[in-house]
Amino acid sequence: MTTSPAEIESFIAGFEYRLAPVERASSEAWWELATTGTEEAQKKLVSTGMAYNELFADRSEYELVKGWYEGRGSLESSVLRRQVEILYKTFAGRQGDEETLRRIEELEAEANAIYSNHRGVVEGKETSENKLREVLRVSEDSILRREAWEASKSVGRKVEDLVRELARLRNDLAHAEGFADHYTRSLDLQEIDAVELARLMDGLQAATDEPFREFKAGLDADLRRRFGVEQIMPWHLSDPFFQEPPERDDLDVDRYFAGKDLAALTRETYDRLGFEVRDVLARSDLYERAGKDQHAFCLRVGRSYPYDVRVLANIHDDAYWMNTMLHEFGHAVYDKYIDPSLPYLLRTVAHINTTEAIALMMGSLADDPGWVSSVAGVPEEDLAPDLERLAERRRADRLIFTRWALVMYRFEKALYQDPDREDLNTLWWDLVEEIQLVQRPPGRDEPDWAAKLHVALAPVYYHNYVLGYLTAAQLRHHLEKNVVGGPFYVSEMAGRYLQEAVFGPGARNSWEDTVLGATGEMLNPDYFVKSLC
Ligand SMILES: [Zn+2]
């Protein structure tokens, strides 16, 4: 027996009615926990998370939706078909034994609280992550650097068992749904073809092998000179996981932003594109405070119009936070400009990787000479000596990111293949040595992988940054070559184009069709790879 489209629509309408308040409450709880770090907020997050899962707990409803999904080819309306696809993936993502789901919620909340509240110890003092990062960026003292680097990893031991247990539980859910492991299941739920992704990642590794080797050799030579050491160790690099290019003393990008109001620069940037972010800024929580989440994110609370979009950050007047603010507000404008007349389920981004693409494209303006002079107001004569170094740094940035993302991709795949394997510490460092060309400290056997928040709390996510980078390069190329004919960031036409081609349609189309629709071609890694070699 087939269901009529009208019956499907009526089910969806009823479902939205139940979903909307829970979704809102869950986001509110998330925001409260991140801004206060209290135990009460943590409990609220767990209970709203459970209420959310409950919405998807009725197995017969799931079977119904699954049937519609499998027969969706016969639905005439593509809008309804897309809703069925999203509804099914949302249901499928929450199937599982109630006890296991509850346990996962609890452990995630627990891990989240540990990452938020943990402070590494340097010179006998508890030290914020911002401070640790600063030591690694600027200190010339190898001993202090080593202490800061080790402190940055100290959270690993506290969460290691939690992370392994989370991986086991996530795998249990995957097995019950017939998947080999959580990694495979997650890709399926994210509408990403595992074979295609593996091909893409292998391709990126091969394309960056030589350029990265050459780059790293040059970098090591610089660092040996700078620190007067023979062997470069991880703490000589300028961040805990070698995700960014090290500081170079002949290029000070922080000076562009010293003493400046980064929130105002963010507003100015989006003004030029014709996007209003004053409402978002007003609802945001932007400066450091005790007990507050030390990272940054963008959150949309509910889906009713006008949208309630907020950003959490911990602004310092430097290049890192400029990049981060532009990045998070990239997510924010995407969320804010989704067509409110779309059905509820489509009133969201097309995919994690399309919203990352916008965020990355915007964040990278922070070291784009054109933006730094025209929007951030740094006089061109001050910038002139930096131009070549900025271009080198940009390339270094992408190379380093790609190699780091490959470590995460390969590590997580292995973690979910066998969360019980005893040699995870070794595996992590094998990958870091092979792919990032960073040597492990002699004898080190610590759960350094667990110190990376994403491994615990944003699993099977990193490839979306990679896809985001590729999409960002392709989209910017299209905007500047075919839409604007110049820098996109000072063009209201570019803003309108983004609104019409990317933000407005929300989740109306799959991510692949969104990329095709916005750039006229399927995802093509060439634009990104060209910038690396
Ligand atoms: Zn992001």
Side-chain angles (χ1 to χ4, degrees), residues 384-431:
D386 291 352
L387 290 180
E388 199 173 314
R389 289 170 213 140
L390 279 170
E392 278 170 21
R393 187 188 137 110
R394 218 175 163 70
R395 177 173 170 268
D397 223 13
R398 281 154 179 65
L399 271 175
I400 291 168
F401 166 76
T402 303
R403 304 300 284 195
W404 158 246
L406 283 161
V407 169
M408 285 291 285
Y409 169 70
R410 300 208 187 284
F411 178 80
E412 280 196 289
K413 255 173 103 163
L415 170 67
Y416 286 102
Q417 268 164 21
D418 180 11
D420 292 309
R421 62 188 282 174
E422 273 166 26
D423 62 344
L424 281 179
N425 300 355
T426 309
L427 172 72
W428 174 261
W429 277 104
D430 286 349
L431 291 168

Side-chain angles (χ1 to χ4, degrees), residues 468-499:
Y469 262 110
L470 304 188
T471 305
Q474 183 171 330
L475 183 58
R476 181 162 179 178
H477 177 268
H478 180 73
L479 281 175
E480 301 196 328
K481 272 265 152 22
N482 306 324
V483 178
V484 179
F488 81 95
Y489 48 81
V490 284
S491 160
E492 279 198 32
M493 203 206 293
R496 270 204 305 281
Y497 185 87
L498 287 172
Q499 187 176 341

Side-chain angles (χ1 to χ4, degrees), residues 250-262:
D250 58 356
L251 179 62
D252 173 17
V253 287
D254 288 339
R255 77 176 200 279
Y256 307 150
F257 307 108
K260 292 204 173 145
D261 179 347
L262 270 54

Side-chain angles (χ1 to χ4, degrees), residues 329-478:
F329 277 79
H331 289 304
V333 288
Y334 195 154
D335 285 345
K336 191 188 150 167
Y337 284 92
I338 290 167
D339 181 353
S341 70
L342 283 166
Y344 186 91
L345 291 173
L346 305 187
R347 236 177 285 151
T348 184
V349 299
H351 198 272
I352 303 163
N353 70 49
T354 57
T355 186
E356 283 307 337
I358 300 299
L360 289 164
M361 184 172 84
M362 296 307 297
S364 76
L365 293 175
D367 61 8
D368 186 309
W371 178 88
V372 173
S373 64
S374 67
V375 183
V378 176
E380 280 187 29
E381 58 271 25
D382 288 358
L383 257 173
D386 291 352
L387 290 180
E388 199 173 314
R389 289 170 213 140
L390 279 170
E392 278 170 21
R393 187 188 137 110
R394 218 175 163 70
R395 177 173 170 268
D397 223 13
R398 281 154 179 65
L399 271 175
I400 291 168
F401 166 76
T402 303
R403 304 300 284 195
W404 158 246
L406 283 161
V407 169
M408 285 291 285
Y409 169 70
R410 300 208 187 284
F411 178 80
E412 280 196 289
K413 255 173 103 163
L415 170 67
Y416 286 102
Q417 268 164 21
D418 180 11
D420 292 309
R421 62 188 282 174
E422 273 166 26
D423 62 344
L424 281 179
N425 300 355
T426 309
L427 172 72
W428 174 261
W429 277 104
D430 286 349
L431 291 168
V432 169
E433 286 188 340
E434 184 209 330
I435 300 173
Q436 292 184 292
L437 307 176
V438 174
Q439 230 176 38
R440 80 188 76 196
R444 187 162 179 89
D445 183 18
E446 293 290 327
D448 294 334
W449 48 274
K452 185 67 195 169
L453 179 121
H454 284 72
V455 175
L457 294 174
V460 200
Y461 191 94
Y462 244 81
H463 58 274
N464 285 311
Y465 289 129
V466 176
L467 297 175
Y469 262 110
L470 304 188
T471 305
Q474 183 171 330
L475 183 58
R476 181 162 179 178
H477 177 268
H478 180 73

